Amino acid sequence: MRRLVLLLLFTILFACDTDNRNEVLVLGLIQGKHLTEPEFSTEVLREMIRDIDPDIILAEIPPDRFAKAMTSYAETGIVNEYRVAQFPEYVDVIIPLTKEMDFTLIPTSAWTEEMANDRLTKMRAIRDDANREYEWRKYGLAKYIADSIKEASGRQYDPYWINSPAYDDASEIALRVYNELFNEELGPGGWDNINKAHYENIEKALKEYTNQGKRIVITYGAGHKGWFLRKLRERDDIKLISLGEAISLDSQD
């Protein structure tokens, strides 16, 4: 009986010490500015992905565009799916890295072309409506404050600054106002609405790989990062890690 009790205690303790939760990093990117900002260039991002060494990347690519993008790259070495081709982080870095690294690339963006066009049309109409000048000025002021804080940091395009809580706090100044004023009116393309849709796709992927001890990197425009992190902090089945934790000090140097 005593041996059985000890065996049960050992089993419980061993189970408690085993942590197979996936590590999850939300990596905020700067999209077109990867081509113009040396601090966070495509070359910098490429080395960063190599150092992070992910098992899975959940990408800001619409699932309905993914197969065509990957097929065109496999056949020609060029991503000619025009929606995906707008993102240098994918066409110049992450998709090419699938040839040399062993990670699974999963598309999770909820954006559609129709949603993007509808949002653009509605935002232009709001901007040009004289009766809504106050709303537009309020949003413009919030955006100016957020951008000024980022610029004043002196590290505006430093990837470690972009992937910091301070950056998220600055971004939230503008995004909160944008969401309060326009989310409902913009429909599926509103800020809360589109992030909820993105996160549903992200959540499906996280569920599929639950407790497999993998390193999962979520790659989206940096503005989305704060929204995603608030949701991910509600989970106890993952280990959220920062960019600094994902990359060794030697790699940073």
Side-chain angles (χ1 to χ4, degrees), residues 164-176:
S164 73
Y167 179 94
D168 296 337
D169 290 343
S171 297
E172 189 66 17
I173 293 169
L175 293 171
R176 186 186 301 114

Side-chain angles (χ1 to χ4, degrees), residues 19-183:
D19 189 352
N20 288 322
R21 290 179 300 164
N22 296 320
E23 293 181 335
V24 176
L25 167 65
V26 184
L27 183 61
L29 304 177
I30 57 174
Q31 301 176 337
K33 289 188 174 66
H34 286 298
L35 298 176
T36 60
E37 300 302 332
E39 281 186 280
F40 204 178
S41 66
T42 52
E43 290 79 8
V44 170
L45 177 60
R46 187 178 297 110
E47 289 307 309
M48 190 172 284
I49 296 295
R50 286 176 177 144
D51 289 338
I52 293 169
D53 194 18
D55 298 298
I56 298 166
I57 293 180
L58 306 184
E60 191 177 0
I61 298 175
D64 64 341
R65 307 280 179 159
F66 184 66
K68 182 178 179 181
M70 296 303 291
T71 299
S72 70
Y73 182 76
E75 293 176 349
T76 68
I78 299 171
V79 176
N80 58 20
E81 202 300 308
Y82 75 99
R83 287 281 291 171
V84 181
Q86 298 176 44
F87 297 96
E89 61 263 44
Y90 298 116
V91 299
D92 295 338
V93 180
I94 292 174
I95 290 177
L97 281 175
T98 60
K99 283 193 169 184
E100 69 172 75
M101 297 180 69
D102 185 22
F103 61 80
T104 301
L105 182 58
I106 300 175
T108 60
S109 173
W111 272 114
T112 67
E113 186 176 7
E114 294 74 20
M115 288 163 58
N117 291 338
D118 182 64
R119 182 185 68 168
L120 181 61
T121 299
K122 288 178 176 176
M123 289 300 289
R124 284 175 174 170
I126 293 168
R127 178 198 63 191
D128 296 337
D129 187 343
N131 294 320
R132 305 187 68 173
E133 184 178 0
Y134 172 76
E135 292 174 83
W136 192 254
R137 285 182 177 273
K138 183 177 180 180
Y139 170 53
L141 177 60
K143 192 172 184 303
Y144 173 78
I145 293 170
D147 290 344
S148 296
I149 292 172
K150 293 172 186 178
E151 187 174 353
S153 72
R155 303 171 60 200
Q156 192 172 3
Y157 297 109
D158 177 342
Y160 289 92
W161 155 251
I162 288 169
N163 286 279
S164 73
Y167 179 94
D168 296 337
D169 290 343
S171 297
E172 189 66 17
I173 293 169
L175 293 171
R176 186 186 301 114
V177 174
Y178 172 67
N179 188 61
E180 289 172 355
L181 291 175
F182 308 128
N183 180 65

